[in-house]
Each structure stands twice: as structure tokens, then as C-alpha cells.
Amino acid sequence: MTEGADRVTSTAPSAAMAPVPYRVRSRVVESPDAATLCLEPLDAVLPAPQPGEFMMLYAFGVGEAAISISGDPTVTDGSITHTIRAVGAVSRALHGAQPGTLIGVRGPFGTTWGLDEAAERDLVMVAGGVGLCPLRPAILGALANRTRYGRLMLVVGARSKADFLFAAQLEKWADDPHIELHLTVDVPVQDWRGEVGLVTEPLRRLALRPDRTTAFLCGPEPMLRFGAAALLAKGVAARDIRVSLERNMQCGVGWCGHCQLGPLLVCRDGPVVGYDVAGPLLRVKEL
Ligand SMILES: Cc1cc2nc3c(=O)[nH]c(=O)nc-3n(C[C@H](O)[C@H](O)[C@H](O)COP(=O)(O)OP(=O)(O)OC[C@H]3O[C@@H](n4cnc5c(N)ncnc54)[C@H](O)[C@@H]3O)c2cc1C
Ligand code: FES
């Protein structure tokens, strides 16, 4: 069973609204529109984020956006890693930030994937597009404590081969006996020998032990719904399917109401929520 894993940070509410300056230490281009930034503190160090949590990143003079952590949770040097896809003004500014650029950081905020609660169980992780970013710390955390878990299965979908994030790491995982990797693309290209289609296809073929399986899903909402439906059809309980939700965020601390989804404030009650709670809400059109 994987119940909510809210973590109370040591940050007081008013302090949580004040961005702390971090500097871009390194920038790695991941795909045509995504880049990974490693940020290091200038002075004050924020509490280390846990897999699933997000930070509010402020591009000075442009604005703020919620961005999940995507780095290795076993790295404890005070740095924070984020992978950002450029879709609008703020994410474009963050995505383009070069080493040395100052970024304002608030957080960490939100709920975690609940890796501790999933100990002893099989893990199925399903990512669509940039949905792999919030899942990466959970994958690396599980691999670092591999004996704590049963099978570790990862299903990743991308628009095309060029859109897979963390390509070098995916190649390594493909040869790693500790993880079962399934990749699929929407658009095949000549040198793609893998699967073509939605993530639900490899997911449907997985032989699972449903009462011993915990699933983590992150990606576009239709992917969450169809992915969860495939897992439910295999007998996995809705509460053991944890999905990461996205809503427009402003304060990040449950004050402004911008991220409301039915009875939930996604910044406070999410982003990671059990499908027993998220499922009925995601089925309501334009909630
Ligand atoms: C909890 C949480 C975690 C997140 N983690 C990440 C992350 O790790 N990496 C990351 O790149 N983004 C992440 N996001 C999404 C990110 O916050 C938004 O992409 C960003 O706020 C967009 O702001 P903007 O000003 O650049 O674009 P806006 O001006 O707000 O939007 C520009 C255009 O892009 C569209 N758009 C906005 N967001 C998205 C989106 N997510 N996908 C596709 N189209 C979009 C809008 O509809 C609009 O048409 C996360 C969001 C949440 C709530
Ligand atoms: S972003 Fe303000 S309440 Fe969630």
C-alpha cells in the first residue's frame, strides 16, 4: 500500500514565499526543447527535495514556474537538478539559462512518490515525454536501494527517438539486469528498431503480481487515465497507482487557489496523488 507521503518541510510559510538565490552550475541539452540544469546555492541551502517534490524556479525579470526535481537523490552536496522543457516565456528563460546565471528558488513543495512505503513491492514506473523528469529521482533512488524492492519495471514513451530525455542513461538501463526497460515512440524513424505506439501497449503485456505492485505514472493526463486503466484491468488497486498531477501554480504553498482540482490543492495535496483520489477527478471534463 502506498499512502500519501506528505513531507513537512522546515520552511515557515512566509519564508517559503522568498526565493533563495542559486547559480546554474551546469546545463545539459537533453532533446530539441529540453535541458537539465544543476543549480548550486550561493549562500543559504534549501532542504534537500525528495523524489516527486517540486521547486518554484524564478527566472529574474520573467517569472516563476513549478519544476520537479529530476536529479539523483543520493547526491547530497546541496545542489538541485531540474529538467525543463521550453513551452512559454518562463520555461524558455529557465531552459536557456547558461552556467553562472542566477535563479531564484523556493521549496521543496508537495508530496513525494512514496518510495519508502513501496519497499518490498514490485515497482512499475510509466513516463510520457517530460514525465520522465519527476520519475528519474524515484528510479535512481530505487536502483540505489535495489534489494529493498521486487521487480523494477520502467515504461517510457516519447514523440520520436530524438525526444527521449536522459538518452545515455536509458541506454545504460537497457543493459542493466536490475531494471526492465520498455521504450516506445509515437513516430518511427529509419533507425528505430524498438516499439511504436502508446505506453499502454507494453504496459498491457507486463505480467504483474497485482497485490504486490505499486505504480508511479507521470505524463499528459490522457496517458495517466489510459495507463491507470491498463493497470486497474490487471488488478492493481487504485490506491497503489500513484500519479503526478500538473496544474497552474502561483504560490506553491496552498494560499492562492490557482492549482485547485476539485477538493485538492495540487501544490499542497499533490502533485503525487493516489488514483483512488485522482481518478474520479480526472474523469470530469475541464475540472
Ligand atoms: C508540480 C509540477 C511540476 C512540473 N515539473 C516540470 C518539469 O519538471 N519540467 C518542465 O519542463 N515542466 C514542469 N512543469 C510544467 C511547468 O510548470 C510549465 O511548463 C510552466 O509553468 C510553463 O510556464 P511558461 O510561462 O513557460 O508557459 P505558459 O505561458 O504558462 O504557457 C505557454 C504555452 O504552453 C502551454 N503549456 C504550459 N505548460 C505546459 C506543459 N506542462 N506542457 C505542455 N504545454 C504547456 C500553455 O498551455 C501555453 O499554450 C511542472 C508543473 C507542475 C505543476
Ligand atoms: S499554487 Fe497557490 S494554492 Fe496551490
Side-chain angles (χ1 to χ4, degrees), residues 6 21 24 31 41 67 88 95 144 257 262:
D6 303 357
V24 178
S31 76
I67 304 289
H95 166 269

Side-chain angles (χ1 to χ4, degrees), residues 17 54 56 106 247-260 264-269:
M17 294 306 291
F54 68 96
M56 295 299 294
R106 299 191 288 126
R247 281 295 176 275
N248 180 19
M249 291 200 181
Q250 300 244 319
C251 71
V253 292
W255 286 355
C256 71
H258 267 88
C259 65
Q260 185 165 6
L264 304 182
L265 290 176
V266 173
C267 68
R268 184 195 64 193
D269 308 315

